[in-house]
Amino acid sequence: MALQESGEMYLETILVLSKKIPQVRSVDVGDYMGYSKPSVSRAIGLLKNGGYVLMDKNGFLTLTEEGKHVAMKIYERHTVLTKMLTGLGVSEEQAAEDACKMEHIISDETFAALKNFTANNTIAAMKTGCRNAALLINLTRFKSFEKEKTNYVK
């Protein structure tokens, strides 16, 4: 089953919530995303049928390996793109909003190139004693994501 943008958003939300609360339910997903119970129920049903989510007898949601893979991919894109945009001077709020749109349409090849570019420029800035502290801080924040994302893998 090919996922739509909304399916990716649900998976990312379950991932994020699973780090904030011990057990995630559909109602938690709906509250977090601002969606109605029927909308969430339908989406979770589709994700279950697609093999991305499991629901136990108590209604608690768990990402399957495939669901976790997709969620981590989208979460990484969101985080990296947000940090890149704020590094360019975009406000935090606008950067997060734009990253949320971009994360679903950018190709794997383009994302890898942007990530590689940012990582290489972080190293170059450190080696040359970059005088632009804001640039160095924002580029270094990107590197911290690599460590941070491991916290989201169970």
Side-chain angles (χ1 to χ4, degrees):
M1 167 181 148
L3 274 177
Q4 302 293 321
E5 178 179 330
S6 61
E8 292 175 345
M9 291 296 297
Y10 277 97
L11 295 176
E12 183 182 19
T13 297
I14 295 168
L15 176 72
V16 169
L17 287 174
S18 71
K19 298 305 165 192
K20 294 181 178 185
I21 57 178
Q23 297 175 311
V24 179
R25 300 167 299 146
S26 293
V27 68
D28 302 318
V29 173
D31 289 346
Y32 185 86
M33 298 179 80
Y35 294 161
S36 69
K37 288 180 184 179
S39 294
V40 174
S41 179
R42 173 152 168 63
I44 296 299
L46 291 171
L47 292 171
K48 284 176 17 185
N49 290 338
Y52 297 100
V53 175
L54 300 173
M55 182 185 289
D56 71 13
K57 62 182 170 134
N58 297 314
F60 296 118
L61 303 173
T62 306
L63 296 171
T64 64
E65 285 303 313
E66 180 63 20
K68 192 181 297 183
H69 172 76
V70 172
M72 282 297 303
K73 177 180 174 179
I74 297 302
Y75 179 78
E76 177 185 28
R77 287 173 176 217
H78 182 86
T79 304
V80 169
L81 291 167
T82 299
K83 288 180 180 182
M84 292 173 83
L85 292 169
T86 57
L88 294 171
V90 178
S91 71
E92 188 76 34
E93 183 179 321
Q94 188 63 53
E97 184 180 321
D98 291 345
C100 195
K101 296 171 189 168
M102 295 166 63
E103 68 195 26
H104 303 285
I105 61 169
I106 192 170
S107 71
D108 291 342
E109 179 183 358
T110 300
F111 180 71
L114 286 171
K115 193 171 148 181
N116 186 42
F117 175 80
T118 302
N120 288 339
N121 283 316
T122 299
I123 293 166
M126 288 178 182
K127 285 182 180 176
T128 61
C130 180
R131 296 183 193 268
N132 185 338
L135 174 64
L136 181 58
I137 289 167
N138 284 315
L139 291 175
T140 305
R141 283 175 33 200
F142 166 77
K143 294 299 272 185
S144 72
F145 171 75
E146 293 301 316
K147 293 177 187 172
E148 177 186 320
K149 79 176 180 180
T150 61
N151 296 331
Y152 287 91
V153 178
K154 289 185 179 179

